[in-house]
Amino acid sequence: MDSYGMNLVFDLIELAAGIYIMYNGIMMKKTGRIEGNGLIGKNIDLYKARDKAGFIKNMYPVYMICGFLFAIIGGTVAVFDYLGKSPKSAQMIVTFALLIICAVFAALTKRAQDRYLS
């Protein structure tokens, strides 16, 4: 598999991750529950959580925005990689943008976990 083929695989994973994050946000908002696989730390005991509703209210927009950015970036770059028109210079920019989104998402999730679930 050439480099564009491997990039396409990773782009599709980014797209799926974005959709998964948005799905978790929608399900939290819809059900009022935080599922065990809802992108929270393994050390969080949801049965002892102080304010699940506060966590959901705080994190819903974060899940939706970060998930949307992941999905849009992954999907757009996947199309360019599939067509073989993705410039190598753009890969560094996309990688940097995704790292920033991951860092922001992780920091906001950790802050909300400490504030509402610990």
Side-chain angles (χ1 to χ4, degrees):
M1 187 178 275
D2 63 355
S3 66
Y4 282 120
M6 281 305 296
N7 287 339
L8 179 60
V9 169
F10 287 118
D11 297 334
L12 293 174
I13 291 171
E14 294 160 16
L15 173 63
I19 292 169
Y20 179 73
I21 291 169
M22 289 189 299
Y23 171 78
N24 269 287
I26 290 167
M27 292 308 292
M28 281 192 317
K29 183 84 166 180
K30 181 179 175 182
T31 65
R33 294 186 356 238
I34 304 167
E35 298 298 327
N37 63 349
L39 304 173
I40 60 170
K42 291 184 182 207
N43 62 337
I44 301 295
D45 185 355
L46 292 175
Y47 295 110
K48 296 179 183 177
R50 289 181 293 165
D51 186 7
K52 292 178 191 176
F55 178 83
I56 292 169
K57 182 178 179 183
N58 184 271
M59 289 305 294
Y60 176 73
V62 174
Y63 275 44
M64 298 312 291
I65 292 169
C66 289
F68 180 75
L69 290 173
F70 261 94
I72 289 297
I73 291 171
T76 302
V77 177
V79 169
F80 284 119
D81 283 341
Y82 178 75
L83 297 174
K85 300 189 185 234
S86 181
K88 294 276 185 190
S89 60
Q91 291 174 0
M92 182 70 82
I93 295 168
V94 168
T95 301
F96 186 68
L98 289 171
L99 286 174
I100 289 173
I101 296 167
C102 280
V104 168
F105 182 75
L108 292 174
T109 301
K110 175 69 172 128
R111 185 182 75 183
Q113 285 177 169
D114 292 345
R115 184 178 292 164
Y116 299 106
L117 301 179
S118 295

